[in-house]
Amino acid sequence: MSGQKIEGCDAYVSGPKRSRVILDVTDIALGTGARPAEVLAIRWCDLDLAAPVPLATISGTVTRDSEKGLHRQEFTKTEAGYRVLKLPKFAVTTLLRLKLEATPNDLDLVFPDRKGNVRCPHNFRRTWRQARGTTFDWITVKTSRSTTTITPALKPCLTWMILRVS
């Protein structure tokens, strides 16, 4: 799929077809305030979407090391990183759609890569930078994480920014 050039943003004219993954990861990041590598490490077994108050358990992160390469680490960046979070309605809606569309993977990941393996956080951040262009260069992954409390105001801006390269 090719895109049209928008002032401050390059058109997407080559490479694999863009997917909605950046939008979906962004929804869950905004809904939880989790780090991108923590969102990419969420498994279906970490979610309780049928509970009266839907919950997500942040229990790991995606990392790369010389011994294991890219993998899901069974603990978070900090001890305080392990947490159980209430999910807002928009995040639950996104996760329910993803569950219906999901292809099972051995790691039970919500956001596997195209081959069913762990998705690389560096690639996610690169796609994020490409999507935001220069017009929205003030929006970083960290900005979106720290603005979780103002999600309703920021989400339309982020969605527009990302959809224009879809």
Side-chain angles (χ1 to χ4, degrees):
M1 176 184 295
S2 63
Q4 296 178 354
K5 184 168 175 42
I6 296 173
E7 188 175 333
C9 305
D10 294 330
Y12 182 73
V13 294
S14 65
K17 182 180 176 183
R18 294 286 186 186
S19 72
R20 289 188 47 93
V21 170
I22 191 168
L23 291 171
D24 297 334
V25 172
T26 301
D27 271 355
I28 305 312
L30 289 171
T32 61
R35 294 173 176 88
E38 292 172 340
V39 173
L40 296 175
I42 294 174
R43 302 166 299 185
W44 291 111
C45 63
D46 296 327
L47 302 170
D48 187 354
L49 302 177
V53 177
L55 302 171
T57 301
I58 306 299
S59 62
T61 191
V62 174
T63 190
R64 182 186 306 271
D65 62 34
S66 58
E67 186 178 311
K68 295 181 182 177
L70 187 65
H71 65 283
R72 184 184 187 281
Q73 181 175 276
E74 295 298 322
F75 52 91
T76 57
K77 182 178 177 182
T78 66
E79 192 172 309
Y82 181 91
R83 58 214 183 270
V84 178
L85 305 167
K86 295 178 186 176
L87 291 170
K89 186 176 181 177
F90 74 88
V92 173
T93 300
T94 297
L95 289 164
L96 288 172
R97 180 182 46 78
L98 289 172
K99 186 66 173 169
L100 290 174
E101 299 170 353
T103 301
N105 62 81
D106 292 341
L107 302 172
D108 197 33
L109 295 169
V110 174
F111 299 108
D113 68 9
R114 289 182 178 124
K115 296 179 180 179
N117 300 316
V118 174
R119 185 175 295 272
C120 180
H122 297 291
N123 291 344
F124 173 78
R125 284 191 288 274
R126 178 179 38 80
T127 303
W128 176 278
R129 286 189 303 272
Q130 290 170 343
R132 74 169 188 215
T134 56
T135 301
F136 298 102
D137 61 356
W138 62 273
I139 301 175
T140 64
V141 175
K142 187 172 183 175
T143 303
S144 68
R145 182 170 183 251
S146 63
T147 56
T148 299
T149 57
I150 59 166
T151 297
L154 184 60
K155 188 175 183 232
C157 177
L158 289 171
T159 301
W160 179 86
M161 166 191 89
I162 294 164
L163 279 176
R164 68 172 179 65
V165 295
S166 296

